[in-house]
Structure formats: structure tokens, C-alpha cells
Amino acid sequence: MESVPVSHILIFSSALFFIGVYGFLSRQHLIMMLMSMELMLNSVNINFIAFNKYIFPGALDGLFFTLFIITIAAAEAAVAIAIILNLYRNFKSVKPEDVSTLKY
Amino acid sequence: METSALIFYIVATLMLVFGVLTVTSRRFFRAAVYLLAVLLLTSGIYFILEFNFIAIAQIMIYVGGIVVLILFSILLTQTADNKVDQPGIWKMMGAFLTAGSGFILTTTLVLNHLFTHSTQVVNLHIDNIGKMLLNTGNDGYILPFELVTILLLAAMIGSIIVAFKSKKEEQEQSISETTEN
């Protein structure tokens, strides 16, 4: 694995991150936006692992950050899906622009 | 070229393709399955980088948990042949410009920075990971570990409370159903 320079991994993961950004900004549906969020979190994890492997192999900081990000992503997905189900029950729709009761 | 490097480039290309399909597919189920492919290939990247513990955690939590949750929410809120609306041309252009300029910025920054590869070998033995996770010393992670357990518990209880149907709602629903009949 020494023949892959760390900059290639970083460029690849930033491409994945900005694919997620594109999806988050262009999608008009909460579930699709949640999927784009997962893509972004995933690409950040790849970054952490690459840094831990190639630049700072003395400690395991990247590994633990990745582990905690995975845990928090799971918590975030559970809360987001509870909110989506509640919205669907009250508004019969999960599009962000349909939920405008509080909008002035 | 080394075989593992070749495998890395193939997996990375596949991941980018599936990622683009995830954010452009108009069907919910297909988007979720493409996301599943991206997450599985990510664990492949961790295996190539020899972070086996993270790779297994990725498969168990992302593939076994989060994707299943997303599929559940799709099944509970959509019908099978439901399609998402195509985003408007201005929204698409704006999102594309934001993502593209961000990507160009990071790529130039990464290419202009000189990374020095360390020759040290990272100690990824599972004993070492377990000891560091529960260590109160200098290189221990006991505090974030405890915090994340409390956060996870709070998130689980909170999501159950939010998604729960209240008694009042249920009665109203049953009354409306009986009057319809």
C-alpha cells in the first residue's frame, strides 16, 4: 500500500465529500438529504484513517475519531428517522418546503 | 504498480460512481442500495489500509444499522414506485457550483501541501485498541468513550419518544376510522 500517495486518498475522499454536499443542497427530500449526510460523514472517516496510517502512525487518534464519528452517525440517523416519521404523521409529507407552519 | 494499490484505485472509482448514483437516482430504493454499496466499499478501503477493526465496525453499524433504518423509513413513508421530483435548474446549478468550487479548492490545497510519510508502523493490534479505549492515562480515550455512550443512550430514548404515537392521537385516528366506515 506504500505506492498510493496520501494525497490521492485525500483527493478521493474530498470528491466523495463534495458529492455528498451536492446531494444535500440539490435534493428536496429529507430521506435523500440524510443519505447525502451519511456520504459526507463516511468520506471524513476515510480522511482520518489515511492520516492515522501515513502521517501520524505513532498514536491511534484517527482510529478513535473514526469510531466516535461512526457512533454519532448512528445516533444522528436514529433521531433523524424518528423526526421524519413524526413529520410524515403530522404533515403527510417529508419534503422540507412543505413543513412551513412556523414560517413567518 | 502494486496489487493493493491497483485494488485501491478500482474500489475508489467504484465508490465515486456509486456516490454519484446515490445523489442523482430518482427512486428511493435504488438510492438506498447505492448508498449500501458505497458503505460496503468504504469498509473495503479500511481493509486495504489494514484497519480491520474499523472495517468490521463499519459493516456492523453502517450496513447493518443505518442503511436498514433508512430502508425502514422509506418503506414507512413512501410507496414503492414513488419518485423524487427533479430539482430545479437553479438549485442544481447552485449546488453544483458550491460542490465544484469546494472540490477545486481542497484539491489545490492538497496538491500544494507536501505530506511527509512517516516510516513508523501503526500498532493496530486489538489488545492495543481496547487498552487505549479504556485507559485513563495520557493516551487514553475513556472520557469521550463515556460521553458517547451517554449520547447514544439519550439519542435512542429521544428517538423512541419522538416517534411514539401518543394515546390521544391513536384514539383520534380510531374515531376517524370508525366514522369513515
Side-chain angles (χ1 to χ4, degrees):
Chain A
M1 235 347 242
E2 287 305 309
S3 54
V4 178
V6 70
S7 56
H8 287 192
I9 303 179
L10 296 185
I11 290 169
F12 151 66
S13 76
S14 73
L16 200 63
F17 182 86
F18 285 107
I19 287 170
V21 169
Y22 170 78
F24 191 80
L25 291 175
S26 68
R27 291 291 201 172
Q28 288 157 324
H29 199 282
L30 275 179
I31 298 174
M32 295 298 205
M33 286 164 81
L34 182 69
M35 288 193 218
S36 310
M37 279 289 296
E38 301 298 342
L39 271 185
M40 290 198 270
L41 287 169
N42 219 43
S43 66
V44 172
N45 283 348
I46 296 174
N47 251 5
F48 271 120
I49 291 291
F51 276 124
N52 193 3
K53 170 104 181 163
Y54 292 113
I55 318 277
F56 299 108
L60 287 178
D61 294 342
L63 187 145
F64 287 113
F65 270 80
T66 307
L67 207 57
F68 293 133
I69 289 173
I70 290 176
T71 320
I72 287 169
E76 168 248 316
V79 173
I81 277 155
I83 292 172
I84 286 171
L85 288 184
N86 215 350
L87 276 182
Y88 181 71
R89 210 174 284 144
N90 287 321
F91 292 92
K92 294 282 167 269
S93 152
V94 268
K95 289 178 185 167
E97 60 257 39
D98 288 348
V99 186
S100 54
T101 314
L102 279 179
K103 205 171 172 182
Y104 177 63
Chain B
M1 194 189 274
E2 223 180 300
T3 322
S4 62
L6 190 67
I7 293 171
F8 170 79
Y9 286 118
I10 291 170
V11 168
T13 324
L14 275 177
M15 268 177 83
L16 291 181
V17 170
F18 280 123
V20 170
L21 285 173
T22 308
V23 297
T24 53
S25 168
R26 290 185 60 198
R27 292 171 190 272
F28 289 93
F29 239 90
R30 286 190 190 170
V33 172
Y34 293 139
L35 181 72
L36 179 78
V38 172
L39 297 174
L40 272 175
L41 288 169
T42 313
S43 84
I45 291 222
Y46 296 152
F47 274 124
I48 294 170
L49 292 172
E50 292 165 354
F51 279 70
N52 296 343
F53 178 66
I54 291 291
I56 298 292
Q58 166 94 8
I59 290 178
M60 285 199 320
I61 297 172
Y62 266 112
V63 180
I66 292 175
V67 171
V68 173
L69 269 180
I70 289 174
L71 284 176
F72 262 126
S73 72
I74 291 170
L75 287 176
L76 284 170
T77 59
Q78 309 293 324
T79 49
D81 52 348
N82 219 349
K83 280 185 181 174
V84 214
D85 305 333
Q86 199 78 359
I89 185 78
W90 286 111
K91 204 170 182 180
M92 220 145 92
M93 286 287 284
F96 188 77
L97 275 180
T98 316
S101 52
F103 177 64
I104 290 167
L105 179 70
T106 25
T107 311
T108 46
L109 282 178
V110 165
L111 287 178
N112 287 330
H113 191 276
L114 194 68
F115 292 101
T116 44
H117 286 219
S118 175
T119 47
Q120 237 178 319
V121 179
V122 55
N123 180 6
L124 285 170
H125 202 266
I126 196 78
D127 281 1
N128 192 29
I129 295 172
K131 272 177 196 153
M132 280 180 80
L133 197 58
L134 294 176
N135 191 357
T136 50
N138 259 342
D139 50 355
Y141 280 86
I142 184 83
L143 184 64
F145 179 74
E146 292 296 331
L147 280 178
V148 98
T149 52
I150 292 169
L151 176 89
L152 202 57
L153 180 69
M156 291 303 143
I157 296 173
S159 55
I160 290 170
I161 301 274
V162 170
F164 220 65
K165 225 181 220 177
S166 66
K167 278 252 164 65
K168 208 173 134 198
E169 259 176 72
E170 242 170 72
Q171 278 170 354
E172 277 168 12
Q173 206 172 25
S174 61
I175 287 168
S176 63
E177 271 166 17
T178 46
T179 47
E180 270 167 30
N181 293 338

